[in-house]
């Protein structure tokens, strides 16, 4: 029988996990505040929108530069 060894470098490549603060995520009763979840979803959506805007800008710049180069 053969067994594969798990190298310790694979485990060290993982990013550390961030522990959320208890007061922000869960109230004392044990319920999650919907406003915190909505704010988190909005922040993620803003990041996605910014990323999409950057890629669209880079793509348009590439098309413009290619058009200028091909026009000469």
């Amino acid at each position: 029988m053969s067994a594969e060894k798990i190298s310790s470098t694979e485990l060290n490549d993982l990013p550390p996990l961030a522990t959320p603060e208890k007061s922000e995520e869960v109230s004392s009763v044990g319920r999650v505040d919907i406003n915190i979840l909505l704010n988190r979803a909005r922040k993620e959506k803003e990041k996605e929108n910014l990323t999409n805007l950057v890629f669209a800008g880079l793509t348009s710049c590439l098309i413009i530069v290619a058009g200028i180069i091909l026009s000469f």
Side-chain angles (χ1 to χ4, degrees):
M1 295 196 298
S2 67
E4 295 181 20
K5 291 185 179 180
I6 299 175
S7 65
S8 62
T9 57
E10 292 176 5
L11 297 176
N12 292 336
D13 291 340
L14 297 175
L17 295 176
T19 306
E21 293 183 17
K22 211 165 185 90
S23 62
E24 182 180 321
E25 295 295 324
V26 179
S27 65
S28 62
V29 187
R31 290 184 255 177
V32 178
D33 188 8
I34 189 70
N35 292 322
I36 294 172
L37 295 176
L38 288 173
N39 287 337
R40 186 186 309 160
R42 286 184 189 121
K43 285 180 185 178
E44 289 177 8
K45 186 68 174 173
E46 287 177 6
K47 286 182 182 179
E48 289 176 9
N49 287 342
L50 180 63
T51 304
N52 290 338
L53 184 63
V54 168
F55 282 130
L58 289 175
T59 303
S60 62
C61 287
L62 179 67
I63 291 172
I64 291 170
V65 169
I68 291 172
I69 290 172
L70 291 175
S71 68
F72 289 113

